[in-house]
Amino acid sequence: MDTPTLLTHFRTHDTPLVLSRGGDLAWDDAELHRAAQVSDPEGYALLALVPGVLPWQRARVLLTTLATSQNGLDDRTRATLAKVTRALMFGLPPGYTVTALLALRRLRANHKHTTRAIVAFVLEHPDAAALIEARRPALVDCFEHALGKATARGCARSIREGDTGSDRLRRSLLRFTSDPAVAIERVRALYAPGTYGAVAPQEAPAPLDPVREHPPVVTPTNRGDIAATLVHLFMGGPAAELRPALAGYVAEATRGLPRMAGGVALVLDTSGSMRGYGEREWALMSQATALRLVLAELCDRLTVIESGDAGAAPAGSTGVGGAAPGGATDLASGLLDALDGGPDLVVIVTDGYENVLPGDLARVVATLPRAGVTTPVVLCQATFTRGDDLTLRDPAPGLPRQPFWHQDDFAGLLPWMFGHCGPGRDWIRTTMTSRLEGART
Amino acid sequence: MTTLDTLLPAPLDLDGYRVGTPQRAGALTMVPIHGPERPGIVPPRSGLKLKRVVGYGQVELHNGAREGVAIVPLHLGYIQDAAQNHALCSAALLAAGQTRRFDDACCVQSGQGGYLEGRDQWFFVLPLELRARALRLRGRHDYAKLWPDITQLNRAYGLPSRGHLEQILSRKRATLTQFQSRLELVPGQLGALFFVGGTFAGLELAPDAGYFAEMWMALVCFAYGVAAWHAEPERAAARPYDAGSLAELRAELARDRAARLAEVASWLPAPGGDVRMVEEERYLDLRLSTVTGDGLTGQVVAEHGRPVYASVFADR
């Protein structure tokens, strides 16, 4: 499974899963999903939990996971897949999940784990009452596909006649549910007369992505607690007060995250443009330093190569975890220095303004394959807001690039960068498994 | 590139100035200059103030510092909303506490009424394309004297043919101001050589690093950034070096950079030629002179033969 490619696809390919009125299923990336699922069913499913993965991609992973047989998988893997399935079903807006479940009917997928999942969604969804009111025909189709039409209708008939726990009902339906009493009520509602005009719930009952901060006006100090504290430190604020708080914010941001076993070399742009000026002064440098501090907490081996004339710090620009920004940007030399140490991954953090000499980084990157270098190199681009104009700020178009402006971006940025190296892929697996266990949501 | 000795005419002594590693942003190449500082000169943003515009073409500046002479940078201009924007045609020396009226200033926004006030001190430096002409027009009291050249510049850049410099400075500001980040001020830098598209564009020297830092945006974004913006090259695909290992790659990069440094050095104007210096004004030992000839023009402030301030640019 090509994790970086797949993750990029998951985060950028935003076309719906379409089920026509005739029941035809249309999705242009079916083969990509199928191949990834076959090569690593668990890793593929866990990747869908990474923050920032698009809802329609999560729906595809749900569909693929439920449509594929689990023959040959061990019990631990099956258990993980069941948890991912549940997280996706209840982590997506219900409309997305219903489409995926209806697609299963079209694909005639009727594995046992498929049945369990559909029954759980229809009968155990926290908003099941409203959902049944609004989407009754679709949910009946799903339910009857899961149990078989005759069995489903037989169960409904038994329930209507007062059956609450006969052997037949238990064998056909109740063994798939955790709360038989609730299930019986839901089946009764499912086969009751409909209500015209009922509005379906739109929100996911258990969203997968952390809640983001959306400041209406972006300033250097409303881009996350770590960066805000750093801005005050850089501006000469009281270190005795700010540094302990900074340590606390970094600990909070990394709490529950596993260590990354590989060696990471961070090429950190500490040039003058990273400091910025005017109302944006320190904004980029503070967020880049925040990322550096988080990486220092997570990585077993982190090497930092500063690129910029950091020796001469402007007044009041006390560096944290390194020198203060100043001077010009030589990212190409920084990359070569980073590769000398033989890391598992090189992360370049820059605003994208390469001025010594522009084009050098792109040429060095283009030469790496013929120089026998296979170490993955990624570029994390510090921006002031999500809407920065990056037209003139792409120093190496050949590098995988991901912008970040807020501390909230780290949740998606870390898996993206780590996914490019072997130890990082293990980190993603451990992190997402941990999320499933509830250690971190 | 190690010396600037041949760039300014004798008897100016540029000994002690050193050039650094070139930086490039699109068509604009900037070579930082370090050298001896001359402390005590009042800088243009934190010391010098636009006091008011008395009438069209008449700009009053004030040196608000308690001590220290202010060097008014060459082709300093001010922009404000709802006012006729103005630029000066010459540099000047203002004593501490002195207010001076420049009657030969030029309006750079034809058809716009209103006078600049002392409320907003955002300044620019005239674009390279207008500087030689503006310098030749110093001393002439005609506030509309630069409008034809501004019109021509706008037309050449595909903008409406009007005497509105604001069409470039304000409307292209988002692009132009990126030069402030695309090129980076080096710590201790007090001057720079500018080249546009492989051709010498200008030499800028300041009395000290603080003064130059206050000029930085006006120089890279407006004085030289406008021409560079217009000449922005298309991005070419990256060509790999011929290297089979990391060590070879490092060597190839170093060799390529050395070649490009040598190329930048070759862009400097050839030494010699008929360059004249004419003194315009003096303050104690400071001498403000105008330099002309051999494809260069500009103004220099010197003290005992050593340059304190210089703005010398290509006269095309």
Side-chain angles (χ1 to χ4, degrees), chain A residues 262-266 301 303 305 335 337-347 374-376 421:
Chain A
V264 176
L266 172 65
R301 284 171 288 129
T303 308
I305 295 98
L335 172 57
D337 292 345
L339 289 168
D340 276 344
D344 295 295
L345 172 70
V346 177
V347 179
T374 55
T375 308
C421 67

Side-chain angles (χ1 to χ4, degrees), chain B residues 39-54:
Chain B
I41 302 293
V42 174
R45 188 184 305 283
S46 53
L48 190 65
K49 299 296 176 195
L50 165 69
K51 191 170 183 184
R52 61 175 179 151
V53 166
V54 183

Side-chain angles (χ1 to χ4, degrees), chain A residues 136-148:
Chain A
R136 179 172 281 107
L139 292 179
V140 167
D141 277 355
C142 294
F143 185 68
E144 292 187 349
H145 165 66
L147 296 184

Side-chain angles (χ1 to χ4, degrees), chain A residues 200-234:
Chain A
Q202 301 295 316
E203 302 297 323
L208 292 169
D209 290 346
V211 177
R212 284 190 62 105
E213 191 180 11
H214 293 286
V217 178
V218 177
T219 71
T221 55
N222 66 5
R223 303 154 77 250
D225 287 331
I226 301 176
T229 310
L230 285 165
V231 168
H232 289 299
L233 265 174
F234 290 155

